[in-house]
Amino acid sequence: VSFDRAKLLFKTSIVVRNYEVDWQGIVHNATYLLYCEIGRIEYLRRMGVLIDPAAIRKESLIVVARNEIDYLRPVGFGEELMVLSRIASIGESSFRFESMIETAQGGDRVAENTAVHVWLDQLNGRPTAVPDWFRENVRKWEGKNVSILGGKP
Amino acid sequence: VSFDRAKLLFKTSIVVRNYEVDWQGIVHNATYLLYCEIGRIEYLRRMGVLIDPAAIRKESLIVVARNEIDYLRPVGFGEELMVLSRIASIGESSFRFESMIETAQGGDRVAENTAVHVWLDQLNGRPTAVPDWFRENVRKWEGKNVSILGGKP
Amino acid sequence: VSFDRAKLLFKTSIVVRNYEVDWQGIVHNATYLLYCEIGRIEYLRRMGVLIDPAAIRKESLIVVARNEIDYLRPVGFGEELMVLSRIASIGESSFRFESMIETAQGGDRVAENTAVHVWLDQLNGRPTAVPDWFRENVRKWEGKNVSILGGKP
Amino acid sequence: VSFDRAKLLFKTSIVVRNYEVDWQGIVHNATYLLYCEIGRIEYLRRMGVLIDPAAIRKESLIVVARNEIDYLRPVGFGEELMVLSRIASIGESSFRFESMIETAQGGDRVAENTAVHVWLDQLNGRPTAVPDWFRENVRKWEGKNVSILGGKP
């Protein structure tokens, strides 16, 4: 993974909690994915996409199809982190989030994550087109930073 | 990711627990990494590598440097899964685990994970050579399935 | 809490997973509640109560109103545990589960938990009568060990 | 449990994260214990007690011996909560934390937790006297709100 740091404009702040530290004394590798998800959820909420259990059940089912994550630096209890998030591209039925975790002080790079999401049809569970309202929201929010394939001409 | 299923010989059985199911009604994406880790830990234990908090602190510090995971099928509460695990290769200071998750009934492919681990020096926290005793253990356990770089000639 | 061990007939087996061990090298205190819940869910499933996300949403909403837990012994990675579970009493709109965790080898007492559950009306979210089919199921399953208040005469 | 709200002076702010919401669409019951723990850890840190893996391993081993928690109101994704914490009493080898969770807006009571902690000897794992430096720290921090038994006269 190699991210363009300058395009990651959205930031969410996180402080490492004690129970996220494992028996090695550092944050567990699966927990980094939770941190990236916190950033993505906050990004979507600020962009105006309603995220709640009812919305998830009725209107859309978005699932993670692939995660790639590089761990660049261990982090410990109480450390302040910054999660940077952006939607980097949208395809026919999928979109790709990039997340970067840094230390809040000093900006040391902690992890880089790419998460591919797929939009599923609620009835048959198969991939379906990313709806136009979502494409438009992202286009307005990210401007020309995002690469968007398809949608209304 | 594209795995050679025939080389994944070690199996660990898992049943999905209720609290692993998220608000979408399916197992959360970060939890798949925990399932793969359960498989890896069991693999190492059976191979004869002592895994406990004291051993981790004193003798070795192994960290995950990279995770790649493809989610191929959602799973729900109570489903029986099989986690297949193997060490696919060992480098100078790292080794790579492959994990495949399948449904226990039917063998539907659920997820494929590659996890790169790095061996750290306890004192300075820098990558250090994978010790020979570990290389030998894996060589005996995996036979010619594993690709081993370096170590004693 | 002081339980009658002889009345706890239902058993569920659990092995401590590595990520359940915290930075103190022992299983985290909140995780004991998850272990007790695994036992309760398995108890209900075997008794014939359908547990799945759809059933939870449509037919019934059962919430935990109170937990009491005494921690009697720390447990570490890889330890085999036995969770003993029973419904000890049913009231108008609530029922009480007792759980005991023991080591599988030796039967050392690890923890004792009482969990009070309340049956809620799906529409207004207020406590509602425990349905008769549930009372009957428990009566058949527990026999005279369970104290049942109310329901059909 | 029945707490004196006026004595709970220390506050920690928390926002419900998406992965803390379970398949019922509300925060899972075990997660409330994590919220209370976040409050306790922050309380201790502000009071001047060093909390980190090294300190835990070398100087002291404090374990939770009992948790009591009443769940008064479900909470959902994105809700802002306030955790109120205090050490209510110190005995020979134990101390008792009280925690109250409220909604940040409106102050609705969400949960009340009592957690009894025991100080263990690092060598033999048996209960040992709460050290004087800890008693003094709490006495200064809580003033006459805390009931302290024993220690230096």
Side-chain angles (χ1 to χ4, degrees):
Chain A
V1 198
S2 175
F3 289 171
D4 185 347
R5 169 79 176 70
K7 290 186 174 169
L8 285 151
L9 301 172
F10 187 82
K11 297 181 180 182
T12 307
S13 173
I14 282 177
V15 180
V16 174
R17 295 173 174 178
N18 74 298
Y19 59 83
E20 294 164 346
V21 172
D22 66 8
W23 64 4
Q24 291 191 322
I26 53 179
V27 170
H28 190 275
N29 69 84
T31 302
Y32 284 73
L33 291 190
L34 300 180
Y35 291 171
C36 294
E37 194 176 75
I38 291 168
R40 292 196 303 260
I41 295 263
E42 189 63 13
Y43 175 103
L44 291 172
R45 199 179 66 81
R46 290 285 181 84
M47 202 180 70
V49 176
L50 186 66
I51 306 276
D52 70 31
I56 284 168
R57 269 181 244 139
K58 278 175 216 154
E59 289 166 46
S60 59
L61 184 62
I62 301 169
V63 295
V64 179
R66 176 172 170 81
N67 258 316
E68 271 178 63
I69 181 162
D70 287 300
Y71 304 93
L72 306 171
R73 178 187 179 286
V75 285
F77 169 65
E79 280 201 72
E80 294 171 41
L81 305 176
M82 198 59 79
V83 183
L84 290 77
S85 319
R86 73 170 185 126
I87 292 181
S89 65
I90 305 183
E92 278 306 335
S93 59
S94 69
F95 57 96
R96 187 165 55 81
F97 253 112
E98 287 180 1
S99 302
M100 189 178 285
I101 307 178
E102 297 179 345
T103 58
Q105 315 300 330
D108 284 5
R109 209 155 286 193
V110 169
E112 292 179 349
N113 168 238
T114 297
V116 178
H117 291 67
V118 173
W119 214 285
L120 300 184
D121 186 293
Q122 281 287 18
L123 296 179
N124 62 26
R126 299 233 177 113
T128 187
V130 174
D132 286 335
W133 64 261
F134 187 81
R135 289 173 199 275
E136 282 317 302
N137 262 8
V138 178
R139 207 189 302 269
K140 274 181 208 146
W141 184 257
E142 286 290 345
K144 55 188 180 182
N145 274 346
V146 66
S147 151
I148 299 187
L149 180 75
K152 274 190 303 197
Chain B
V1 200
S2 176
F3 289 172
D4 185 347
R5 169 78 174 69
K7 289 185 175 170
L8 285 151
L9 301 173
F10 187 81
K11 298 182 179 181
T12 308
S13 172
I14 282 177
V15 181
V16 173
R17 295 173 173 178
N18 73 300
Y19 59 82
E20 294 165 345
V21 171
D22 66 8
W23 65 4
Q24 291 191 321
I26 53 179
V27 170
H28 189 275
N29 68 85
T31 302
Y32 284 74
L33 291 191
L34 300 180
Y35 291 170
C36 294
E37 194 175 77
I38 291 168
R40 293 195 303 261
I41 296 263
E42 189 63 13
Y43 175 103
L44 291 172
R45 200 179 65 81
R46 289 287 179 85
M47 200 179 71
V49 175
L50 186 67
I51 306 277
D52 69 34
I56 284 167
R57 269 182 244 138
K58 278 174 215 155
E59 289 167 45
S60 60
L61 184 62
I62 302 169
V63 295
V64 179
R66 176 172 170 80
N67 258 317
E68 272 178 63
I69 181 162
D70 288 301
Y71 304 93
L72 306 171
R73 178 188 180 285
V75 285
F77 169 65
E79 281 201 72
E80 293 174 41
L81 304 175
M82 198 60 77
V83 182
L84 291 77
S85 319
R86 73 171 185 127
I87 293 182
S89 64
I90 305 183
E92 278 307 334
S93 60
S94 68
F95 57 94
R96 189 165 54 81
F97 254 111
E98 287 180 3
S99 301
M100 189 179 285
I101 306 178
E102 297 179 346
T103 58
Q105 315 300 331
D108 285 4
R109 209 156 287 193
V110 169
E112 292 179 351
N113 168 238
T114 297
V116 178
H117 291 66
V118 173
W119 214 284
L120 299 184
D121 185 293
Q122 281 288 18
L123 297 178
N124 62 25
R126 299 236 177 110
T128 188
V130 175
D132 286 334
W133 64 262
F134 187 82
R135 290 174 198 274
E136 282 316 302
N137 263 7
V138 178
R139 206 189 303 270
K140 274 181 209 146
W141 184 258
E142 285 290 345
K144 54 188 180 183
N145 275 347
V146 65
S147 150
I148 299 186
L149 179 76
K152 275 190 303 195
Chain C
V1 197
S2 176
F3 289 172
D4 186 346
R5 169 79 176 70
K7 289 186 176 170
L8 284 150
L9 301 173
F10 187 82
K11 297 182 181 182
T12 307
S13 174
I14 282 177
V15 180
V16 174
R17 296 174 173 179
N18 73 299
Y19 59 82
E20 295 164 346
V21 172
D22 66 9
W23 65 3
Q24 292 191 322
I26 53 179
V27 171
H28 189 274
N29 69 83
T31 302
Y32 284 73
L33 291 191
L34 300 180
Y35 290 170
C36 294
E37 194 176 76
I38 291 168
R40 293 197 301 261
I41 295 263
E42 189 62 14
Y43 175 103
L44 290 172
R45 198 178 67 81
R46 290 286 179 85
M47 200 180 72
V49 176
L50 186 66
I51 307 275
D52 69 34
I56 284 167
R57 270 182 243 138
K58 278 175 216 154
E59 290 165 44
S60 59
L61 184 62
I62 302 169
V63 294
V64 178
R66 177 173 170 80
N67 258 317
E68 272 179 62
I69 181 162
D70 288 301
Y71 304 92
L72 306 171
R73 177 188 180 286
V75 285
F77 169 65
E79 281 201 73
E80 294 172 41
L81 304 176
M82 198 59 79
V83 183
L84 291 77
S85 319
R86 74 172 185 125
I87 292 181
S89 64
I90 305 183
E92 278 306 335
S93 59
S94 69
F95 57 96
R96 188 164 55 80
F97 253 111
E98 287 180 2
S99 302
M100 188 179 287
I101 305 178
E102 297 180 345
T103 58
Q105 316 299 330
D108 284 5
R109 209 155 288 193
V110 168
E112 292 180 350
N113 168 238
T114 297
V116 178
H117 291 66
V118 173
W119 214 284
L120 299 184
D121 186 293
Q122 281 288 18
L123 297 178
N124 62 24
R126 298 234 178 112
T128 187
V130 175
D132 286 335
W133 63 262
F134 187 81
R135 290 175 197 274
E136 283 316 303
N137 263 7
V138 178
R139 205 188 304 267
K140 274 182 209 147
W141 184 257
E142 285 290 346
K144 55 189 180 181
N145 274 347
V146 64
S147 151
I148 299 187
L149 180 74
K152 274 191 304 197
Chain D
V1 199
S2 175
F3 288 172
D4 186 346
R5 170 79 175 68
K7 289 185 176 172
L8 284 150
L9 301 173
F10 186 82
K11 297 182 180 182
T12 307
S13 173
I14 282 176
V15 180
V16 174
R17 296 173 174 179
N18 73 299
Y19 60 82
E20 294 164 346
V21 172
D22 66 9
W23 65 4
Q24 291 191 324
I26 53 179
V27 171
H28 189 274
N29 69 83
T31 302
Y32 284 73
L33 290 191
L34 300 180
Y35 290 170
C36 294
E37 194 176 76
I38 290 168
R40 293 196 302 262
I41 296 262
E42 189 63 13
Y43 175 104
L44 290 173
R45 199 180 65 81
R46 290 285 179 86
M47 201 179 71
V49 175
L50 186 67
I51 306 277
D52 69 34
I56 284 167
R57 269 182 243 138
K58 278 173 215 155
E59 289 166 45
S60 58
L61 185 62
I62 302 169
V63 295
V64 178
R66 176 173 171 79
N67 259 316
E68 272 178 62
I69 181 161
D70 288 301
Y71 305 92
L72 305 171
R73 178 189 179 285
V75 286
F77 169 64
E79 280 201 73
E80 293 173 41
L81 304 176
M82 198 58 79
V83 183
L84 291 77
S85 319
R86 74 172 184 125
I87 293 181
S89 64
I90 305 183
E92 278 306 333
S93 59
S94 69
F95 57 95
R96 188 164 54 81
F97 254 111
E98 287 180 3
S99 302
M100 188 179 286
I101 306 178
E102 296 179 347
T103 58
Q105 317 299 331
D108 285 5
R109 208 154 290 192
V110 168
E112 291 179 350
N113 167 238
T114 297
V116 178
H117 291 65
V118 173
W119 214 286
L120 299 184
D121 186 293
Q122 280 288 18
L123 297 178
N124 62 26
R126 299 235 178 112
T128 187
V130 174
D132 286 335
W133 64 262
F134 187 81
R135 290 174 197 276
E136 282 318 301
N137 263 8
V138 178
R139 205 189 304 268
K140 275 181 208 147
W141 184 258
E142 285 291 346
K144 55 188 180 183
N145 274 346
V146 64
S147 151
I148 299 187
L149 180 75
K152 275 190 302 194

